[in-house]
Amino acid sequence: MGGRSLPFLLGLVYLSLSFIERLSSRQPAQGPGLRQTLPSFIFLFLCSVSYFWSVDPELTLARVVTLATVLVTSWFLSGDIIHLEDKVPMAFLAGTVLASAFVLLAPAASDSRRTANGNANDVAMAIVMGLGCALYLLLKGRRRNKIVAVASLPLLLTAGIATGSRTAVFGAAGIVLVVTFVAIGQRRWGQLAGVISAILVLILVVDSLPKALIPERLSSIGEALQSGNLSNRTIIWDAILERGWDMVGVGAGASPSYLGGQLGFSTVAHNVFLGVLLETGALGLMVFGWLLARLALDARNSRFSSLILFLAPAVAAGSLALTLEARRMLWLVIALSWSQIYADRREARL
């Protein structure tokens, strides 16, 4: 739609309505405090000033706009969802079920991968986090939500496979392990049996899928691991490490231009930490590390700490193999982590 995705347009509508509601409300503005958001805004500032030495200023400008958009949206969202604890995982699950339907309806690309809109890995990350929400509801949700969660699992799994994202496979495996450990740790044997039963059913679903829905790249996971190059990712990472460490990098978002000149093909870093190092240098990597450390502290006390635990494996897998620093999925987790801050301050005043 005019070069913009439907989620972007919906986000624009959401921000407008939320901003208007805050202007018309007599209540204090909801949102996290400066202590929680300061690392994020400093990181945005570093990305912005890197425009002046970027190897590709146009890409840097695009990255700054994207990063500013997800940061501001996360700030608003963190305040708006504080009192919607039960509804947030169900809402995200509903969105990913809809996305999964679009994935399965989409035509296959030349490499047999399917995507609803945009990059297949981004769509796969959303779907696998929807899988995390479904399993969270299966363990902790109400009975009605459990039924919806179980019903959504085959669709989510099928669509996730259709995207052909190998990173999503590792993320999903990590989520299943977390769910298993949580159930064992809380001695919820009945729920553990339910999860195991659901996994067995999903295995049968995968085994019965038409071959046309399973991209060949998924069968090459073992080969990619044995070869050691992880689908050329190690070549990209070596090129970044060979450049060495400096303080400012090549410019935020400018990885495709720099790596294109070094490797002969345009690509992103496919690793959050190496990507931040390349684009914003050691200074940016330190600030980003500060951001993640602050995030970990906030997540422990978040109203959504249990849900974050179920989503963390997908984000961790994506951070090691994809470029998530300016993507919605990472910033959704950041918004969930921030969401306890304002509520705690308000309750203290009351």
Side-chain angles (χ1 to χ4, degrees):
M1 300 178 68
R4 294 293 186 181
S5 67
L6 181 59
F8 177 87
L9 297 176
L10 290 174
L12 185 61
V13 172
Y14 158 68
L15 282 179
S16 302
L17 293 176
S18 184
F19 183 70
I20 292 172
E21 192 275 336
R22 289 162 192 262
L23 287 179
S24 61
S25 175
R26 296 182 180 180
Q27 297 294 330
Q30 297 184 10
L34 180 62
R35 183 176 60 180
Q36 286 69 41
T37 57
L38 184 60
S40 303
F41 282 101
I42 292 178
F43 184 68
L44 175 62
F45 173 77
L46 289 177
C47 291
S48 301
V49 297
S50 72
Y51 175 87
F52 297 103
W53 57 78
S54 174
V55 299
D56 194 328
E58 291 187 3
L59 287 180
T60 297
L61 182 60
R63 168 59 61 81
V64 169
V65 171
T66 300
L67 184 59
T69 300
V70 294
L71 196 163
V72 172
T73 304
S74 300
W75 191 93
F76 276 84
L77 190 63
S78 64
D80 290 337
I81 63 176
I82 288 173
H83 303 295
L84 301 175
E85 295 180 45
D86 294 335
K87 296 180 176 63
V88 168
M90 182 61 76
F92 191 82
L93 177 60
T96 50
V97 164
L98 182 61
S100 297
F102 279 114
V103 166
L104 296 178
L105 291 173
S110 57
D111 56 358
S112 300
R113 303 180 72 179
R114 299 171 189 266
T115 179
N117 183 24
N119 186 282
N121 285 323
D122 289 343
V123 175
M125 280 297 299
I127 291 174
V128 76
M129 289 176 68
L131 177 67
C133 288
L135 293 175
Y136 168 84
L137 292 169
L138 187 60
L139 256 67
K140 297 179 176 293
R142 300 174 182 176
R143 182 178 179 83
R144 180 179 61 184
N145 292 347
K146 292 179 187 290
I147 296 173
V148 173
V150 170
S152 68
L153 287 175
L155 178 62
L156 292 170
L157 184 65
T158 303
I161 290 173
T163 64
S165 174
R166 291 169 289 194
T167 303
V169 172
F170 289 104
I175 290 173
V176 170
L177 287 176
V178 166
V179 171
T180 302
F181 287 135
V182 167
I184 293 175
Q186 296 180 354
R187 297 183 179 182
R188 298 187 176 185
W189 309 119
Q191 293 182 347
L192 178 61
V195 170
I196 294 175
S197 299
I199 293 173
L200 293 176
V201 170
L202 293 178
I203 292 174
L204 293 176
V205 170
V206 173
D207 189 57
S208 62
L209 287 178
K211 291 185 177 180
L213 281 177
I214 305 178
E216 293 182 3
R217 60 184 284 114
L218 289 182
S219 62
S220 64
I221 292 178
E223 179 182 343
L225 292 175
Q226 290 177 0
S227 66
N229 67 6
L230 302 178
S231 299
N232 294 327
R233 280 172 169 77
T234 55
I235 297 174
I236 299 170
W237 299 341
D238 287 342
I240 295 173
L241 293 174
E242 286 174 4
R243 180 180 179 275
W245 293 62
D246 65 2
M247 290 304 294
V248 295
V250 301
S255 291
S257 289
Y258 174 80
L259 293 173
Q262 296 296 310
L263 301 175
F265 58 92
S266 180
T267 182
V268 294
H270 286 289
N271 182 286
V272 167
F273 306 101
L274 290 179
V276 171
L277 173 64
L278 174 63
E279 295 180 358
T280 60
L283 183 60
L285 186 60
M286 287 188 291
V287 173
F288 193 76
W290 176 24
L291 187 159
L292 294 180
R294 181 72 253 180
L295 174 64
L297 291 174
D298 291 337
R300 293 180 62 185
N301 299 316
S302 170
R303 297 292 181 90
F304 301 96
S305 57
S306 296
L307 178 59
I308 292 172
L309 181 63
F310 282 67
L311 301 181
V315 175
S319 297
L320 294 176
L322 302 175
T323 302
L324 297 183
E325 56 267 28
R327 299 294 190 182
R328 296 185 188 98
M329 295 305 101
L330 172 62
W331 284 87
L332 169 66
V333 174
I334 292 176
L336 293 174
S337 300
W338 283 347
S339 63
Q340 95 283 352
I341 302 303
Y342 171 81
D344 290 348
R345 289 205 306 265
R346 189 185 71 170
E347 289 168 2
R349 288 199 299 269
L350 294 176

